[in-house]
Amino acid sequence: MLPRVILHIATSLDGRITNFPADLETYYALAARWNPDAILFGSETVLAAVRDNPSLEVPPEHEEMFRPPEGGKDPRPLLVIADSRGRVRCWDAIRKWPYMRDLLAFCSGSTPEEYLSYLGERKIGTIVVGTDRIDVREALRMLNRKYGVETVRIDSGGTLNSVLLQAGVVDEVSVLIHPFLAGGRAKPTIFDPEKAGFPDLQVPLTHTRTEVVGNGLVWARYTVDKSHRCKI
Ligand SMILES: NC(=O)c1ccc[n+]([C@@H]2O[C@H](COP(=O)([O-])OP(=O)(O)OC[C@H]3O[C@@H](n4cnc5c(N)ncnc54)[C@H](OP(=O)(O)O)[C@@H]3O)[C@@H](O)[C@H]2O)c1
């Protein structure tokens, strides 16, 4: 079975997903409402976070990360990074973050053996599927089967978002639009099928709800018609 998959993205009014003062408190408070068992990051997103905060020693604090325990089960989500090229090398620092129950990497047949050994030495679990790139559909199925994950929130930019949309595994797109004009070029974007290798991918959405939250933020939510996924 596939887990439920939600893309949750903060944007400026002019469509930027970087270079604007995102309201992280509201972003993560809303993200907590899905109660995800896992959070999947794109490797570029992790590398960008490292660039912004080289030590990664001081994790952000927010509601999603400090959910109170439910019974005996560790309620914290699993942190998963898609990294078939073996570029994320800050797992030791990430492990110190208090808000994840464990770490996992999605890799593929092209992932260097040296990187798989590096992960193994650090007792970081791996799901290895796909030949050249990660087969995200199968990886998510395995996440459900092996780790009992039922809901995954995606924390990535337009590349991994597009890969997931093309694979037809996304249930919901949630966009938190900030009252801010960031200017510049909207790159990276929410959806970048060209960078993901599917230049003609288009995805129709169905609007389900819009709310004004926090300080004038517009929270717009959409479901994905998965039957249109292969319209490329
Ligand atoms: N505003 C927000 O809410 C928000 C949220 C998250 C991120 N961001 C920003 O978004 C930017 C990063 O976005 P991005 O689009 O450059 O990168 P990304 O989506 O974070 O990462 C790219 C990921 O896609 C995977 N990938 C690419 N092509 C693939 C394919 N054909 N099949 C399977 N997997 C594939 C890569 O895997 P491998 O390379 O490992 O194969 C990599 O893990 C950062 O600047 C970050 O700050 C903003």
Side-chain angles (χ1 to χ4, degrees), residues 8-10 17-18 20 27 42-45 48 82-85 87 133-134 136 155-161 163 188 195-196 198:
H8 180 52
I9 310 128
I17 64 166
T18 55
F20 72 96
Y27 173 87
S43 56
E44 299 280 357
T45 296
D83 189 18
S84 78
R85 288 176 285 167
R87 295 183 311 151
R133 303 308 283 266
I134 299 155
V136 288
D155 200 328
S156 78
T159 314
L160 187 58
N161 289 349
V163 170
K195 197 167 164 207
F198 312 106

Side-chain angles (χ1 to χ4, degrees), residues 61-106:
E61 296 190 7
H62 50 70
E63 196 178 320
E64 186 184 34
M65 297 172 170
F66 294 102
R67 291 201 311 256
E70 299 154 2
K73 189 173 164 265
D74 188 338
R76 293 173 300 172
L78 193 60
L79 185 151
V80 187
I81 303 176
D83 189 18
S84 78
R85 288 176 285 167
R87 295 183 311 151
V88 175
R89 300 280 172 160
C90 55
W91 292 89
D92 293 338
I94 292 171
R95 193 182 279 292
K96 289 185 194 144
W97 296 4
Y99 46 80
M100 300 289 173
R101 75 170 187 275
D102 209 348
L103 309 177
L104 189 76
F106 281 174

Side-chain angles (χ1 to χ4, degrees), residues 4-7 9 137 161-162 164-175 191 201-208 221-230:
R4 185 168 171 236
V5 173
I6 299 123
L7 309 184
I9 310 128
R137 174 173 274 264
N161 289 349
S162 301
L164 294 162
L165 285 160
Q166 197 281 332
V169 297
V170 178
D171 293 277
E172 180 171 350
V173 176
S174 156
V175 186
F191 179 60
L201 178 68
Q202 295 186 319
V203 183
L205 304 172
T206 303
H207 174 255
T208 53
R221 298 172 67 178
Y222 304 84
T223 51
V224 182
D225 180 352
K226 294 182 186 173
S227 64
H228 285 81
R229 76 178 199 270
C230 286

